């Protein structure tokens, strides 16, 4: 597993570089071909490469992505290494280790009938090209197991915030900043008003964050800015809040006379509600106990994943089944090596139990009994 993770980490794959993502897909394909004995289906959407293995009609989906947030050249400053039981390298935790775990778990299954493995190439930028593929693959499934990295301490992710992404573009009018600034319409001042308005939509009591992020304005130091823009990242726990923020952002109006604003973007992922994960978490916890791996912890997190899409379809979805470690998107990104075989054993047991239930869509418990875990 470590060798396979190294191969993937050393093949850098920033989401928006489709050639790099295609190279990474070939590395994933080679690992899967060696372990599973068959070629994946290569699905290219607008230049972005995704991989799918199907064994019969899909009933259990292992879902992951092989793109990362790290730009080409990151290996020079963050080289792959394994030292003192800790594996490091760009994208190792989020989520190349999870991709390898999915393939090794599938290889260990005594019967793969009903299993689907989907590894996408654009998750880190919101899955704009793979969302239809993910939803189509999940719609016949009884369960989706998401190989995103675990939460702190190895906790599974049973609740996720929904995500909305916007950009606010401002149009003003340029003028010489020293000679006749009064003839300009300052887009920088206007975007400042909009930033304050957007930030005011946050609600700490409800856990709603609305954060202005990437910002640009102006061209030279002696020119009134004719254009400005700001990106906005909004995260919420429930759909009512997501709708409230969406309406408010779309209702923004200019403050500076003569300026214009345009709003782009919108709701990207609905919240992953705890109900979508409850039955599968009970099952996973029971299996972990039987394997000597439990008890498991669960966590609610602010980040979203492709599991938000599948949970939104009403498909039972359990997230955070991938690597245990930390530092996603950060300089200290790492994976705890000792947890790789433990978590993969859990994934094998979970997938095997779900597949053995045939067409049942009711995750109950490790012995197949109905009860508290029933959907």
């Amino acid at each position: 597993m470590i060798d396979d993770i190294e191969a993937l980490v050393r093949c850098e794959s920033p989401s928006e570089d489709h050639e790099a993502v295609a190279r990474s897909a070939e590395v994933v394909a080679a690992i899967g071909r060696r372990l599973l004995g068959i070629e994946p289906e290569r699905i290219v959407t607008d230049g972005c490469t995704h991989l799918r293995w199907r064994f019969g009609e899909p009933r259990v989906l292992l879902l992951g992505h092989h793109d990362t947030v790290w730009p080409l050249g990151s290996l020079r400053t963050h080289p792959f290494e394994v030292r003192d039981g800790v594996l490091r390298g760009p994208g190792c935790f989020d989520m190349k280790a999870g991709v390898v775990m999915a393939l090794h778990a599938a290889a260990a299954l005594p019967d793969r009938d009903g299993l689907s493995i989907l590894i996408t190439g654009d998750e880190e930028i919101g899955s704009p090209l793979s969302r239809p593929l993910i939803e189509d693959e999940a719609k016949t499934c009884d369960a989706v197991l998401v190989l995103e990295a675990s939460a702190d301490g190895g906790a599974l992710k049973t609740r996720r915030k929904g995500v909305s992404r916007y950009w606010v573009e401002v149009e003003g009018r340029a003028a010489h900043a020293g000679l006749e600034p009064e003839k300009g319409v300052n887009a920088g001042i206007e975007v400042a008003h909009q930033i304050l308005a957007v930030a005011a939509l946050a609600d700490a009591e409800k856990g709603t964050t609305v954060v202005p992020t990437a910002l640009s304005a102006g061209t030279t130091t002696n020119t009134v800015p004719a254009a400005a823009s700001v990106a906005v990242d909004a995260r919420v726990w429930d759909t009512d809040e997501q709708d409230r923020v969406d309406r408010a952002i779309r209702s923004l109006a200019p403050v500076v006379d003569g300026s214009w604003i345009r709003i782009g973007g919108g709701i990207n992922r609905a919240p992953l509600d705890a109900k979508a994960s409850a039955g599968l978490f009970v099952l996973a916890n029971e299996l972990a106990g039987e394997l000597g791996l439990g008890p498991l912890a669960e966590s609610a997190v602010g980040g979203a994943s492709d599991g938000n899409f599948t949970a939104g379809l009403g498909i039972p979805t359990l997230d955070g089944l991938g690597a245990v470690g930390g530092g996603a998107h950060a300089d200290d990104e790492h994976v705890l090596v000792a947890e790789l075989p433990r978590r993969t054993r859990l994934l094998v047991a979970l997938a095997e139990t779900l597949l053995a239930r045939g067409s049942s869509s009711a995750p109950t418990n490790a012995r197949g009994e109905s009860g508290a875990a029933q959907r």
Side-chain angles (χ1 to χ4, degrees):
M1 292 181 72
I2 291 173
D3 289 345
D4 288 341
I5 296 169
E6 178 177 4
L8 264 184
V9 170
R10 289 190 182 280
C11 186
E12 296 175 300
S13 53
S15 307
E16 294 181 339
D17 187 329
H18 288 172
E19 291 184 1
V21 170
R23 291 192 295 270
S24 173
E26 290 309 306
V27 177
V28 177
I31 296 170
R33 181 171 58 248
R34 188 190 82 239
L35 292 170
L36 304 175
I38 62 171
E39 286 284 346
E41 181 182 1
R42 292 164 175 79
I43 304 167
V44 181
T45 55
D46 289 348
C48 185
T49 307
H50 322 287
L51 299 173
R52 179 171 64 193
W53 283 266
R54 272 185 180 172
F55 302 90
E57 183 69 19
R59 290 184 284 109
V60 174
L61 172 61
L62 303 185
L63 181 59
H65 66 90
H66 66 106
D67 60 312
T68 77
V69 300
W70 294 87
L72 293 180
S74 295
L75 281 166
R76 290 194 293 271
T77 55
H78 299 75
F80 177 88
E81 67 171 7
V82 180
R83 183 188 306 171
D84 299 327
V86 179
L87 182 154
R88 301 183 186 275
C92 65
F93 183 61
D94 186 14
M95 58 161 286
K96 294 194 171 185
V99 171
V100 170
M101 291 170 63
L103 296 173
H104 278 259
L109 288 171
D111 184 357
R112 298 182 200 130
D113 184 50
L115 183 71
S116 176
I117 307 169
L118 179 61
I119 309 298
T120 64
D122 65 342
E123 191 275 345
E124 294 291 4
I125 55 173
S127 307
L129 302 175
S130 62
R131 179 176 181 174
L133 179 64
I134 293 164
E135 294 179 336
D136 185 65
E137 196 67 13
K139 67 185 180 183
T140 65
C141 290
D142 304 325
V144 178
L145 307 178
V146 184
L147 273 296
E148 288 282 357
S150 68
D152 291 347
L156 300 186
K157 297 172 178 176
T158 54
R159 190 182 181 203
R160 283 184 179 272
K161 283 186 176 181
V163 177
S164 301
R165 292 172 175 165
Y166 303 92
W167 61 91
V168 181
E169 297 179 343
V170 176
E171 182 180 336
R173 184 169 61 247
H176 195 291
L179 295 178
E180 44 189 14
E182 71 281 357
K183 292 186 177 180
V185 175
N186 197 314
I189 294 176
E190 178 59 50
V191 82
H193 284 293
Q194 300 303 325
I195 287 171
L196 293 173
V198 162
L201 297 174
D203 188 329
E205 185 175 333
K206 294 181 178 179
T208 299
T209 60
V210 186
V211 182
T213 56
L215 170 68
S216 66
T219 53
T220 69
T221 59
N222 61 350
T223 303
V224 173
S229 67
V230 62
V232 180
D233 180 293
R235 312 243 169 178
V236 301
W237 286 120
D238 62 73
T239 55
D240 287 344
E241 271 294 273
Q242 196 165 42
D243 290 340
R244 176 188 69 83
V245 172
D246 186 71
R247 289 193 300 269
I249 289 180
R250 296 189 185 283
S251 299
L252 292 172
V255 176
V256 175
D257 288 343
S259 64
W260 295 81
I261 65 172
R262 290 183 295 274
I263 310 297
I267 294 171
N268 174 252
R269 292 177 169 98
L272 191 162
D273 191 87
K275 294 192 295 292
S277 301
L280 288 172
F281 179 77
V282 170
L283 173 59
N285 203 31
E286 292 190 13
L287 290 169
E290 293 177 7
L291 294 168
L293 305 175
L296 299 175
E298 58 182 314
S299 179
V301 297
S305 81
D306 289 338
N308 290 60
F309 295 141
T310 61
L313 296 175
I315 311 298
T317 299
L318 187 59
D319 205 337
L321 285 160
V324 178
H329 301 190
D331 289 341
D332 66 336
E333 183 168 11
H334 66 279
V335 170
L336 301 181
V337 172
E339 292 294 332
L340 287 170
R342 290 164 51 87
R343 292 298 278 248
T344 305
R345 286 171 59 204
L346 174 62
L347 182 61
V348 172
L350 191 53
E352 183 177 3
T353 302
L354 292 166
L355 288 169
R357 292 181 178 173
S359 61
S360 170
S361 61
T364 53
N365 61 34
R367 293 167 298 280
E369 300 165 345
S370 61
Q374 190 167 2
R375 185 172 134 201

